[in-house]
């Protein structure tokens, strides 16, 4: 049942399994909570993955659901153990709480949609390009150690690209991000070659909006929408602007508006083939 150790993936698989087991017993969350003497909010947080589940609570739930098969119990216990791992915990001192919220669920998404107007998305950056962007944007207030740890986070996130079951990724970037030589000519050439490699992956869809398209909604700032395999799991919207950010599932109106913005960007963006030709031309011009 378990096929990976990414904590976000394991938390998602566990909550899907626990919800399925409850529904198989034709029980509501409220009924289970009352039977176990738990609050309804605790039950909801467990099933939505907002909190990890302790070994004791998992054992109690499985007893309530009459699950006793050793192989099933061991699989679910392994999911819970892996899901409790704090993959991004060591970086709490250099990342804000909203970005940590985002990182904790990025790995369990089935679809990632990102609009990025200024620089290339973090999931697509080379180490040298990431270092140049973090240094250039952060300025003198960032220590060399903080810069390196932020680069480390960015590289660690990219493990999702090579996963056996990666999400579908849709990136829409502005032509200016392709032509802005972050880190200098050598760094940018390497970055553009990396873009070509990533764009060749079947689950990655990279499209650019040419400068001649003029002003468009994407220029408001970077945004990401995550979709999840469980239909009961709401989409998550992540916004980033300067030093502030927002990660939320609780604003369906905002999520719908940014989804509409993404549709608008897709309508005016170049095709994937034309985007690759743009990347090739930009390399030649450096």
């Amino acid at each position: 049942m378990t096929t990976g150790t990414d904590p976000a993936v394991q938390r998602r698989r566990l909550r899907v399994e626990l919800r399925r087991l409850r529904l198989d017993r034709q029980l509501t969350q409220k009924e289970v909570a009352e039977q176990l003497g738990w609050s309804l909010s605790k039950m909801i947080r467990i099933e939505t993955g907002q909190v990890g589940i302790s070994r004791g609570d998992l054992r109690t739930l499985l007893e309530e659901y009459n699950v006793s098969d050793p192989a099933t119990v061991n699989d679910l216990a392994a999911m819970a153990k892996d899901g409790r791992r704090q993959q991004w915990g060591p970086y709490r001192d250099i990342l804000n709480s909203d970005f940590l919220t985002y990182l904790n669920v990025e790995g369990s998404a089935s679809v990632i949609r990102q609009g990025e107007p200024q620089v290339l998305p973090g999931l697509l950056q080379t180490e040298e390009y990431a270092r140049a962007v973090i240094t250039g944007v952060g300025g003198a207030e960032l220590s060399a150690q903080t810069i390196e740890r932020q680069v480390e986070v960015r590289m660690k996130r990219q493990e999702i690209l090579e996963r056996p079951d990666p999400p579908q990724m849709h990136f829409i970037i502005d032509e200016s991000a392709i032509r802005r030589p972050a880190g200098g000519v050598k760094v940018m050439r390497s970055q553009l070659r990396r873009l070509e490699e990533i764009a060749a992956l079947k689950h990655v869809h990279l499209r650019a909006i040419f400068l001649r398209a003029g002003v468009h909604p994407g220029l408001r700032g970077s945004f990401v929408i995550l979709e999840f395999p469980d239909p009961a799991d709401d989409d998550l919207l992540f916004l980033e602007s300067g030093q502030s950010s927002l990660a939320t599932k609780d604003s369906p109106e905002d999520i719908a508006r940014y989804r509409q913005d993404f549709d608008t960007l897709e309508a005016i963006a170049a095709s994937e083939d034309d985007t690759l030709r743009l990347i090739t031309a930009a390399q030649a011009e450096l």
Side-chain angles (χ1 to χ4, degrees):
M1 188 180 297
T2 56
T3 59
T5 57
D6 184 300
V9 172
Q10 297 297 67
R11 284 194 297 272
R12 184 249 295 172
R13 289 174 176 155
L14 178 63
R15 69 178 185 256
V16 168
E17 286 298 313
L18 291 179
R19 182 171 181 269
R20 182 186 63 78
L21 290 170
R22 175 177 60 77
L23 293 176
D24 285 348
R25 295 278 295 163
Q26 298 184 331
L27 296 168
T28 66
Q29 290 176 328
K30 183 178 180 181
E31 288 171 337
V32 174
E34 289 177 349
Q35 185 66 27
L36 299 180
W38 293 354
S39 67
L40 178 58
S41 62
K42 175 178 178 176
M43 189 67 192
I44 292 172
R45 289 196 300 272
I46 288 174
E47 282 203 4
T48 57
Q50 296 177 46
V51 296
I53 184 170
S54 68
R55 284 177 293 183
D57 283 346
L58 177 62
R59 184 169 56 249
T60 299
L61 265 184
L62 295 184
E63 289 174 356
E64 178 68 18
Y65 298 153
N66 291 335
V67 176
S68 58
D69 174 65
T72 301
V73 172
N74 288 338
D75 271 346
L76 293 171
M79 288 185 197
K81 180 180 178 181
D82 287 336
R84 286 193 297 270
R85 287 195 298 113
Q86 296 297 313
Q87 184 178 16
W88 306 107
Y91 303 100
R92 287 182 180 276
D93 59 320
I94 61 166
L95 303 174
N96 67 48
S97 59
D98 283 301
F99 192 44
L100 281 169
T101 296
Y102 173 83
L103 289 178
N104 282 329
V105 296
E106 182 182 60
S108 62
S110 56
V111 180
I112 298 175
R113 304 181 193 276
Q114 181 168 359
E116 179 57 71
Q118 300 295 334
V119 296
L120 299 174
L123 287 172
L124 310 182
Q125 296 178 5
T126 64
E127 181 176 336
E128 294 78 11
Y129 180 96
R131 185 174 293 109
V133 169
I134 292 169
T135 302
V137 174
E141 64 187 62
L142 294 182
S143 68
Q145 182 182 28
T146 296
I147 291 170
E148 291 309 307
R149 293 179 68 209
Q150 289 190 359
V151 171
E152 185 178 325
V153 169
R154 204 158 292 188
M155 296 302 101
K156 193 175 183 67
R157 286 176 61 203
Q158 293 182 13
E159 293 173 3
I160 196 174
L161 290 164
E162 307 296 337
R163 241 175 39 194
D165 59 340
Q168 289 294 311
M169 303 179 182
H170 302 264
F171 301 99
I172 298 185
I173 59 179
D174 198 78
E175 179 181 352
S176 61
I178 292 174
R179 295 195 176 279
R180 181 175 291 110
V185 170
K186 182 178 179 180
V187 168
M188 198 62 194
R189 279 180 177 155
S190 177
Q191 174 62 74
L192 293 176
R193 287 194 297 270
R194 175 61 175 158
L195 272 189
E196 291 176 324
E197 294 171 359
I198 296 176
L201 299 174
K202 291 183 178 180
H203 58 281
V204 175
H205 308 278
L206 176 64
R207 298 174 63 191
I209 297 178
F210 288 132
L211 294 175
R212 63 174 177 266
V215 178
H216 54 78
L219 296 176
R220 282 201 295 261
S222 173
F223 69 93
V224 186
I225 301 171
L226 300 183
E227 299 175 17
F228 303 92
D230 186 350
D233 202 349
D234 294 332
D235 295 350
L236 180 138
L237 170 68
F238 179 71
L239 304 175
E240 187 171 20
S241 178
Q243 297 300 311
S244 64
S245 61
L246 169 71
T248 182
K249 288 187 173 187
D250 300 327
S251 181
E253 297 84 3
D254 286 342
I255 294 172
R257 179 164 59 87
Y258 275 93
R259 180 56 188 270
Q260 186 175 24
D261 282 352
F262 194 87
D263 291 343
T264 299
L265 299 182
E266 282 194 314
I268 64 175
S271 68
E272 293 182 46
D273 286 343
D274 284 344
T275 298
L276 282 174
R277 281 189 277 272
L278 171 63
I279 293 170
T280 301
Q283 289 185 67
E285 293 169 11
L286 285 172

